[in-house]
């Protein structure tokens, strides 16, 4: 089993930046696709960014492309999400997710919409409010 813990959420003004971090523990060996999702009240969970296990391949949703950056943090068990040029539409609870290992990166990288069912492990979420 893999445990994921997010941190870094908070209140930020429009146009500002915020950096989220996710630390993985448990049976995590660095071979998982890692991703960030977000969910606003009354809306479906939206996949915004993903990274393949080697930390080189990345995926972004159209809504955040050019503003958000996913990267490995300090250590291969950490994944960060740098969020710039934030707007009120970015307000949501942000979740870190990991797959079981073995998900085809070619499949993920070609998706228009990143699907939650691909990911088996989820963090508890961290709130981001842009106001």
């Amino acid at each position: 089993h893999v445990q994921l813990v997010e941190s870094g959420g908070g209140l930020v003004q429009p146009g500002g930046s915020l950096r989220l971090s996710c630390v993985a523990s448990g049976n995590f060996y660095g071979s998982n696709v890692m991703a960030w999702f977000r969910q606003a009240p009354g809306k479906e969970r939206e996949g915004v960014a993903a990274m393949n296990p080697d930390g080189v391949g990345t995926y972004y949703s159209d809504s955040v492309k050019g503003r958000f950056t996913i990267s490995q943090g300090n250590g291969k068990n950490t994944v960060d999400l740098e969020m710039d040029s934030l707007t009120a539409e970015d307000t949501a609870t942000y979740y870190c997710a990991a797959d079981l290992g073995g998900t085809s990166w070619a499949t993920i990288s070609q998706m228009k919409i990143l699907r939650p069912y691909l990911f088996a492990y989820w963090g508890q979420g961290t709130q981001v409010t842009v106001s």
Side-chain angles (χ1 to χ4, degrees):
H1 195 74
V2 173
Q3 291 83 42
L4 303 172
V5 178
E6 306 97 335
S7 63
L11 174 65
V12 62
Q13 292 183 343
S17 298
L18 211 56
R19 189 177 188 91
L20 306 182
S21 289
C22 172
V23 178
S25 61
N27 295 327
F28 183 81
Y29 303 106
S31 59
N32 307 73
V33 173
M34 303 295 294
W36 285 94
F37 285 76
R38 67 185 181 186
Q39 189 165 21
K43 294 189 176 181
E44 292 187 356
R45 191 163 293 193
E46 176 193 12
V48 297
M51 184 174 65
N52 72 348
D54 65 14
V56 176
T58 55
Y59 162 98
Y60 298 97
S61 66
D62 289 342
S63 60
V64 307
K65 198 171 295 181
R67 300 188 299 121
F68 289 14
T69 304
I70 188 171
S71 63
Q72 284 185 342
N74 293 328
K76 202 169 184 180
N77 66 328
T78 303
V79 60
D80 294 342
L81 184 70
E82 176 71 28
M83 305 184 295
D84 299 320
S85 303
L86 288 163
T87 72
E89 286 67 41
D90 296 313
T91 295
T93 300
Y94 283 72
Y95 298 90
C96 178
D99 77 334
L100 284 171
T103 303
S104 165
W105 181 252
T107 298
I108 288 180
S109 63
Q110 294 173 22
M111 284 183 165
K112 290 294 288 182
I113 300 176
L114 191 61
R115 302 297 184 181
Y117 72 80
L118 293 172
F119 298 88
Y121 305 110
W122 294 84
Q124 80 289 351
T126 185
Q127 178 66 35
V128 172
T129 302
V130 184
S131 177

